[in-house]
Amino acid sequence: MNIILLAISAAFVNNVVLSQFMGICPFLGVSKKISTAAGMGGAVIFVMTIASTVTSLIYNYVLVPFELEYLNTIVFILVIAALVQFVEMFLKKSVPSLYQALGVYLPLITTNCAVLGIALSNVQSGFGLLESIINGLFSAVGFAVAIIILAGIREKLEYSDIPESFKGAPSVLIAAGLMAIAFMGFSGLI
């Protein structure tokens, strides 16, 4: 039951983008089309889940036994950078159209504070391996849900008759703010 609550909490109640405000750069930058947003969501799901797994293992079985906990941020950044390089090479060879569509935002997953933030949050919360994996996976799912919803809204807004002064960034920021308010409604679940 605790695992289910952790999953719901990570994806909806404490949504990494809409509640914790981490990962805003790719959230706003890649959410112009649903297909691109879904690709970024998938890449973040992969990186965040694997990063949570690997960082949990490294922290609990290398850093803690050797009393090197103070190196966790540096080690976590290196792990995340290596994973993003792997994803980038895979997409470049396997799905070049998605690789081109993601553009500069794919390498930005390395500096996406959501990925590092969840890895550090797992350690600070004292999560074990399974809890870290669940928190990483469902935090990334929450990110993917949020970016895909915003992409859908942006596609609709592109063809809507709205005042000229609200076109572009203002309408996107208003939509993101309204999404954050809507996601606050999930706080009553847990």
Side-chain angles (χ1 to χ4, degrees), residues 31-98:
S31 61
K32 292 180 182 163
K33 294 186 179 202
I34 292 176
S35 60
T36 309
M40 175 59 89
V44 169
I45 287 171
F46 176 79
V47 170
M48 196 178 292
T49 303
I50 302 300
S52 294
T53 304
V54 173
T55 55
S56 178
L57 290 170
I58 289 173
Y59 184 80
N60 290 320
Y61 297 109
V62 177
L63 297 180
V64 171
F66 292 108
E67 297 179 2
L68 298 172
E69 296 93 346
Y70 60 91
L71 292 175
N72 66 357
T73 304
I74 294 169
V75 171
F76 292 0
I77 289 171
L78 292 174
V79 167
I80 293 165
L83 288 170
V84 170
Q85 287 300 312
F86 174 74
V87 169
E88 191 171 1
M89 289 185 303
F90 174 78
L91 288 178
K92 191 173 186 177
K93 292 286 182 187
S94 302
V95 192
S97 59
L98 180 58

Side-chain angles (χ1 to χ4, degrees), residues 107-181:
L108 281 178
I109 295 175
T110 303
T111 58
N112 185 344
C113 60
V115 179
L116 179 61
I118 294 302
L120 291 172
S121 172
N122 290 339
V123 168
Q124 291 170 350
S125 299
F127 289 159
L129 180 61
L130 179 62
E131 293 164 317
S132 294
I133 293 169
I134 296 297
N135 191 43
L137 171 65
F138 284 95
S139 293
V141 167
F143 176 87
V145 166
I147 196 170
I148 291 169
I149 290 172
L150 184 63
I153 292 170
R154 286 181 78 169
E155 283 186 2
K156 291 286 185 189
L157 286 174
E158 190 174 326
Y159 301 109
S160 297
D161 186 27
I162 57 175
E164 191 65 35
S165 60
F166 283 103
K167 289 186 178 179
S171 63
V172 172
L173 294 174
I174 290 169
L178 291 172
M179 284 176 59
I181 292 170

